[in-house]
Structures are given as structure tokens and as C-alpha cells.
């Protein structure tokens, strides 16, 4: 099956970026980009998620303008699978208005601790010694839904994704329903697969590998094993600007660093120094023998434990996370009711003209919030300690260290907010106490 105009490499890259935007069914890509920029472009103090949305929309807009890709603005978001809050998976079906469609898979995100857990622990780290992850399952389910609902509407389907999204697009391609017409799949620097996965899906891989282009240009794209029979190649890319010599290699992974030709197709490139150094290690990550890596990086004992007991550990982490979330929700629910009752006591219908404030209770609320802040800070410090223990001579350490730092910072900010809330409650108590004392003095003066 030949390529259409919408299948050019640069348009497939645009589709990977569209998958990073929170779009609604029926919107055109142009409308989605414009509305995102209008929502966040003139605001300050954006959250990390909002900053990511704005930067992605601006990047898409610039690429369409610079490369004369106005047809991409007319693409339509035909369907969306948003399981981001539960599993981290997000995919979208894009009608390219030429009789075909592109399925875009969203890659790893880390705008808060929960998203980091879904994408960087459950999904990315879960690829080690795994025959399938939860996000891969969601990607296959979305593909089946697309075929059931839209299979007769398009002449062919293409799949694409960046980073983790590239891995998901490859999985969706080889597990696509029988009879689904596939034009191509492009993985932009996505990690590979474990030996267990390749063995378990060997028949599917043989049937569909011919459609897959795996474009590697940073160390992320060299992690684990490529699917046999795919077009695995290194493409031309440059280091990120203003990041220094070593830092440039670390952030090379973004699609903005890909060098496309005038025809919108990728160009052949040379392996970067960093991926050449880490490749021998990353290709062996699915193996159980870590003896050599122990010598180079003793901290990899942690990752060997994950490899050997991956499912049990990840399930335990999931159960613990769910327990923490449930406890926090219940605590916040009770705190909300307690604060509501407190204000009712102060300003309710039983007010007799005197300051009837339960100072002891208010102080206990402040103590509780400040204690929560201290506990969160300890958690943040522990995550930071583990982060600092990872060494750059570990391929996995490269991939996760920066993300763990973001998670640690997110937890620390929550702790700071909790402590600030506790201090604010205590300040209110002190203000009310002074006001109560002043009111008592005035009433005494009238006697």
C-alpha cells in the first residue's frame, strides 16, 4: 500500500504532537492549536501541564507555517481515547481529509507525580521483561474501537507516536485487528521491547513488521530491543540549543531536533555519542545477568529487583498509591466538613454577639496541615535521595533521573502549600484571638 501526502514524515511528526494536546472530537487541528494558544498564551503562572499544552501548540503552529503544511490545519480530530488519569494512555484518531486517517499516540508526560507514575514507572519501566503493559493494552483496545466504528470510512490507517507513544504505536500496529488496512507506522525515538514481548508476539510481528519505521536519534530510541523485520534506522538530528555539550545530548530527544529534508521526509544520520556509549547496556536491560553493570553502577541492584519481580513490585506500588490517594481523599473530605462546621460556629445563626471561636480546634487544624507539609517534604527528600543515587553510566538512570527530580519537586510544592495553609489557619486564629481580646476590652470599658 503506497503513501499518501499525509504520510510524509514531517506530517506524521505533526500528528505525534497533536496527540499531546487535549482536543475534543470534531475539532480541526487548526482550531485546536488556536484555541490552546488563546487559552494559555496571555496567562501567567501556568501549571506545568498548561505550559506543556501551550508550548506544543506553538510548536505545531510554527512547523505548519515554516514548512507550508496548511493542509494539517484542516485535519479533523475524529475520536479520542483519554485514559490519562487512570493509566496514562491518550490516543486520537485524525481524519487527514484525503481518504486516510492517522492514529496518534501520546508519549511520556511528567507534569505531576501521578502522571510520572503512569508514564515513567508503570509504562516505561514496565517494558522491562514484560509481555505487555497497561498502556499497550489500552492502545490495542483503542485500535479495535477505531476499526469497529470507522473501519469502512477510510482507505488506510497509519500509526505514529513520539517516545513512549512510539512504542505504543508499534504495539497497536502489530496487534491491529485482522483486515484493518495499515499504510505505515512511525515511531519517533520510542523505546524498544523486551525479549519476552518479542517472543510472545512473534507471529504478529512477522505479519506487520514491514509497515513499521523506527526512527532513532537519541539514547531513548536505543533502549531495549527493536522489533525484528522493522525499518530501524538512525535519522539526522541535532543537539538541543543552549544546553551545553553534554546537556545537549540529554535533551536531544524532542522532535524539534529532527532534521527533515525539503520533501518533508527524514534524512539518514549518524548515531550520537551518548547513545553509542549506552547502547550495549540498554540492549541488555531485558536480561537477568547484571553482573557487569553492577561493577559500573551498583545502584542497578534496584533495577534488577524490578526486572526479576517487576509485576509484583509494580502491583505493590499501584496498591500503595491507590491506598495513599484514598486516604488523602478521605482526609480532605473530613477536613472540608470540619472547616465548614468551624465557620458555621463562628458566623452561624447561633452567634450571640461574642466571639465564639474554638481556638483549640482551629489550632489542631493548623497543626495537622503543617504536619502534612512536613511528611510530604520528607517524602520529597527521600525521592531526591534515590534520584541522586542514580548514576549517568546507567542507561536507565539517564531516562529516569530527570523525571524523578520533577516528581520530587511536585511533592515538595504540595508540602509547601500544606504548610502555608496551616500557617494561614494559625494566622486567622491569632487575628481572631486579638480581635476577641480587643472586643472584650471595649465591652469592659462600657461597663
Amino acid at each position: 500500500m503506497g503513501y499518501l501526502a499525509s504520510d510524509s514524515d514531517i506530517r506524521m511528526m505533526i500528528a505525534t504532537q497533536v496527540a499531546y494536546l487535549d482536543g475534543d472530537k470534531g475539532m480541526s487541528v487548526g482550531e485546536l492549536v488556536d484555541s490552546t494558544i488563546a487559552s494559555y498564551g496571555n496567562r501567567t503562572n501556568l501549571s506545568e501541564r498548561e505550559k506543556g499544552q501551550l508550548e506544543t501548540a506553538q510548536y505545531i503552529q510554527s512547523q505548519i507555517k515554516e514548512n507550508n503544511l496548511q493542509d494539517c490545519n484542516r485535519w479533523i480530530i475524529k475520536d479520542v481515547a483519554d485514559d490519562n488519569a487512570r493509566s496514562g494512555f491518550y490516543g486520537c484518531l485524525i481524519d487527514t481529509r484525503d481518504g486516510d486517517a492517522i492514529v496518534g499516540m501520546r508519549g511520556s508526560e511528567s507534569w505531576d507525580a501521578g502522571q510520572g507514575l503512569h508514564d515513567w514507572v508503570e509504562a516505561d519501566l514496565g517494558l522491562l521483561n514484560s509481555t505487555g503493559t497497561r498502556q499497550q493494552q489500552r492502545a490495542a483496545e483503542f485500535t479495535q474501537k477505531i476499526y469497529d466504528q470507522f473501519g469502512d470510512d477510510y482507505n488506510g490507517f497509519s500509526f505514529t507516536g513520539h517516545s513512549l507513544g512510539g512504542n505504543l504505536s508499534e504495539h497497536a500496529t502489530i496487534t491491529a485487528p485482522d483486515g484493518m488496512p495499515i499504510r505505515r507506522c512511525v515511531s519517533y525515538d520510542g523505546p524498544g521491547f523486551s525479549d519476552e514481548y518479542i517472543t510472545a508476539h512473534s507471529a504478529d510481528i512477522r505479519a506487520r513488521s514491514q509497515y513499521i519505521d523506527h526512527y532513532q536519534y537519541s539514547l531513548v530510541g536505543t533502549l531495549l530491543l527493536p522489533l525484528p523485520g522493522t525499518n530501524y534506522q538512525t535519522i539526522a538530528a541535532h543537539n538541543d540549543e543552549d544546553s551545553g555539550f553534554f546537556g545537549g545530548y540529554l535533551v536531544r530527544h524532542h522532535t524539534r531536533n529532527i532534521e527533515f529534508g525539503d520533501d518533508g521526509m527524514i534524512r539518514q544520520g549518524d548515531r550520537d555519542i551518548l547513545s553509542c556509549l549506552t547502547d550495549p547496556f540498554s540492549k541488555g536491560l531485558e536480561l537477568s545477568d547484571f553482573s557487569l553493570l553492577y561493577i559500573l553502577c551498583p545502584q542497578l541492584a534496584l533495577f534488577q529487583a524490578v526486572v526479576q519481580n517487576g509485576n509484583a513490585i509494580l502491583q505493590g506500588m499501584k496498591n500503595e498509591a491507590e491506598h495513599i490517594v484514598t486516604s488523602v481523599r478521605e482526609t480532605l473530605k473530613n477536613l472540608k466538613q470540619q472547616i465548614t462546621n468551624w465557620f458555621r460556629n463562628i458566623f452561624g445563626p447561633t452567634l450571640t454577639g461574642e466571639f465564639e471561636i474554638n481556638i483549640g480546634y482551629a489550632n489542631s487544624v493548623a497543626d495537622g496541615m503543617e504536619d502534612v507539609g512536613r511528611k510530604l517534604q520528607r517524602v520529597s527528600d527521600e525521592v531526591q535521595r534515590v534520584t541522586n543515587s542514580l548514576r549517568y553510566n546507567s542507561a536507565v538512570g539517564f531516562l529516569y533521573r530527570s523525571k524523578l527530580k520533577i516528581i520530587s519537586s511536585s511533592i515538595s510544592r504540595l508540602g509547601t502549600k500544606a504548610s502555608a495553609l496551616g500557617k494561614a489557619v494559625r494566622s486567622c486564629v491569632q487575628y481572631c484571638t486579638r480581635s476577641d481580646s480587643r472586643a472584650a476590652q471595649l465591652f469592659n470599658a462600657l461597663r
Side-chain angles (χ1 to χ4, degrees):
M1 185 175 291
Y3 291 175
L4 294 183
S6 60
D7 290 327
S8 66
D9 289 329
I10 195 167
R11 286 179 173 83
M12 295 290 277
M13 184 277 290
I14 293 293
T16 73
Q17 297 304 299
V18 171
Y20 280 103
L21 294 180
D22 296 333
D24 295 325
K25 290 189 289 186
M27 296 184 72
S28 71
V29 167
E31 291 171 339
L32 175 57
V33 168
D34 290 344
S35 64
T36 302
I37 294 175
S39 296
Y40 303 128
N42 296 321
R43 286 175 48 189
T44 58
N45 300 321
L46 295 175
S47 67
E48 292 300 316
R49 186 192 70 82
E50 292 169 338
K51 288 179 182 177
Q53 291 283 295
L54 175 60
E55 290 172 359
T56 300
Q58 291 172 332
Y59 174 63
I60 294 173
Q61 186 182 70
S62 67
Q63 290 300 298
I64 290 176
K65 181 178 180 180
E66 292 172 10
N67 296 282
N68 194 27
L69 302 174
Q70 279 72 25
D71 58 292
C72 296
N73 283 323
R74 297 189 292 274
W75 290 354
I76 303 296
I77 308 298
K78 195 70 175 181
D79 198 12
V80 170
D82 186 357
D83 196 42
N84 220 11
R86 290 177 292 275
S87 68
F89 174 75
Y90 187 100
C92 61
L93 174 65
I94 304 171
D95 185 332
T96 54
R97 310 293 293 275
D98 56 6
D100 275 23
I102 300 175
V103 182
M105 303 288 186
R106 182 176 296 188
S108 300
E109 299 175 290
S110 55
W111 37 262
D112 66 12
Q115 199 61 43
L117 175 65
H118 289 321
D119 288 349
W120 291 92
V121 177
E122 292 180 352
D124 285 326
L125 191 55
L127 296 174
L128 296 172
N129 279 67
S130 171
T131 59
T133 66
R134 186 161 60 147
Q135 288 206 37
Q136 287 174 343
Q137 179 183 351
R138 295 291 182 268
E141 291 171 352
F142 183 44
T143 303
Q144 181 68 58
K145 177 191 174 187
I146 288 172
Y147 183 59
D148 291 341
Q149 294 186 5
F150 306 101
D152 295 332
D153 296 345
Y154 299 102
N155 298 320
F157 294 85
S158 295
F159 295 82
T160 190
H162 165 250
S163 192
L164 172 62
N167 177 280
L168 297 176
S169 67
E170 291 188 52
H171 175 77
T173 298
I174 66 168
T175 59
D178 291 338
M180 188 174 194
I182 297 177
R183 288 196 179 275
R184 71 183 304 209
C185 167
V186 178
S187 170
Y188 284 100
D189 217 32
F193 299 82
S194 71
D195 186 61
E196 286 79 5
Y197 178 97
I198 293 174
T199 300
H201 296 274
S202 58
D204 293 331
I205 294 170
R206 284 194 298 271
R208 301 285 176 79
S209 61
Q210 59 183 317
Y211 301 112
I212 298 175
D213 294 319
H214 183 114
Y215 294 154
Q216 177 272 325
Y217 55 95
S218 83
L219 67 91
V220 178
T222 67
L223 294 176
L224 301 179
L225 301 172
L227 295 181
T230 60
N231 175 30
Y232 183 97
Q233 59 178 305
T234 299
I235 64 174
H238 54 267
N239 288 352
D240 212 36
E241 298 178 359
D242 304 323
S243 298
F245 176 78
F246 193 64
Y249 285 110
L250 292 178
V251 292
R252 181 187 180 99
H253 180 53
H254 197 286
T255 58
R256 63 173 171 260
N257 297 320
I258 299 174
E259 298 173 1
F260 293 97
D262 294 337
D263 59 354
M265 305 303 286
I266 56 92
R267 296 189 291 109
Q268 295 290 325
D270 298 321
R271 291 284 293 277
D272 66 279
I273 297 173
L274 195 56
S275 64
C276 289
L277 293 174
T278 60
D279 190 45
F281 304 131
S282 63
K283 289 297 184 291
L285 284 176
E286 82 288 354
L287 304 177
S288 60
D289 183 11
F290 274 63
S291 56
L292 176 61
L293 292 185
Y294 282 155
I295 298 174
L296 298 175
C297 181
Q299 286 74 20
L300 275 177
L302 168 65
F303 294 103
Q304 184 192 36
V306 174
V307 169
Q308 293 177 340
N309 308 283
N311 291 335
I313 290 175
L314 290 175
Q315 185 61 44
M317 292 174 64
K318 175 186 175 184
N319 293 340
E320 181 64 20
E322 290 176 346
H323 173 72
I324 292 173
V325 170
T326 300
S327 299
V328 170
R329 284 176 176 170
E330 190 64 28
T331 299
L332 292 176
K333 179 180 178 181
N334 294 335
L335 180 61
K336 177 182 178 182
Q337 187 59 50
Q338 291 171 355
I339 293 176
T340 300
N341 294 338
W342 178 36
F343 277 97
R344 283 176 179 169
N345 290 334
I346 299 174
F347 301 109
T350 59
L351 190 64
T352 61
E354 299 179 358
F355 286 88
E356 299 177 351
I357 302 175
N358 187 337
I359 298 300
Y361 168 71
N363 278 322
S364 70
V365 171
D367 290 339
M369 295 307 299
E370 291 176 346
D371 184 56
V372 168
R374 287 190 293 270
K375 289 180 178 178
L376 288 173
Q377 188 58 53
R378 285 197 294 271
V379 172
S380 174
D381 292 342
E382 180 62 19
V383 173
Q384 186 62 46
R385 186 190 66 77
V386 173
T387 303
N388 292 336
S389 72
L390 298 177
R391 294 294 179 262
Y392 281 127
N393 55 5
S394 159
V396 178
F398 274 116
L399 186 63
Y400 293 103
R401 186 169 183 174
S402 62
K403 299 302 174 181
L404 285 173
K405 285 184 177 180
I406 294 174
I407 292 173
S408 174
S409 298
S410 298
I411 297 173
S412 178
R413 285 195 296 271
L414 290 174
T416 300
K417 290 180 180 179
S419 298
L421 180 58
K423 292 178 181 178
V425 172
R426 199 178 302 283
S427 296
C428 289
V429 170
Q430 294 172 353
Y431 177 81
C432 292
T433 301
R434 289 194 299 269
S435 298
D436 183 45
S437 176
R438 179 58 179 162
Q441 293 174 2
L442 292 174
F443 276 114
N444 290 332
L446 294 174
R447 293 177 181 176

